[in-house]
């Protein structure tokens, strides 16, 4: 199953990743790679 991930730069620094199909699925990371790794 594939999901759509929205990746945004956070105002506080780092990145936020959110799964658009599962709105409560949100993760953060210091880098883009870390944020994506944390949400999978």
């Amino acid at each position: 199953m594939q999901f759509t991930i929205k990746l945004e730069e956070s105002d506080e620094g780092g990145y936020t990743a959110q799964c658009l199909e599962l709105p409560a699925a949100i993760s953060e990371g210091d880098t883009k790679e870390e944020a994506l790794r944390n949400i999978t």
Side-chain angles (χ1 to χ4, degrees):
M1 185 176 249
Q2 293 186 8
F3 295 100
T4 307
I5 304 298
K6 179 179 172 184
L7 187 64
E8 293 185 319
E9 193 168 358
S10 177
D11 292 337
E12 298 83 23
Y15 293 85
T16 301
Q18 179 180 9
C19 177
L20 298 182
E21 291 83 5
L22 303 168
I26 300 172
S27 187
E28 298 178 327
D30 291 331
T31 65
K32 292 178 184 181
E33 293 81 10
E34 184 179 13
L36 290 171
R37 187 173 54 246
N38 289 340
I39 201 160
T40 58

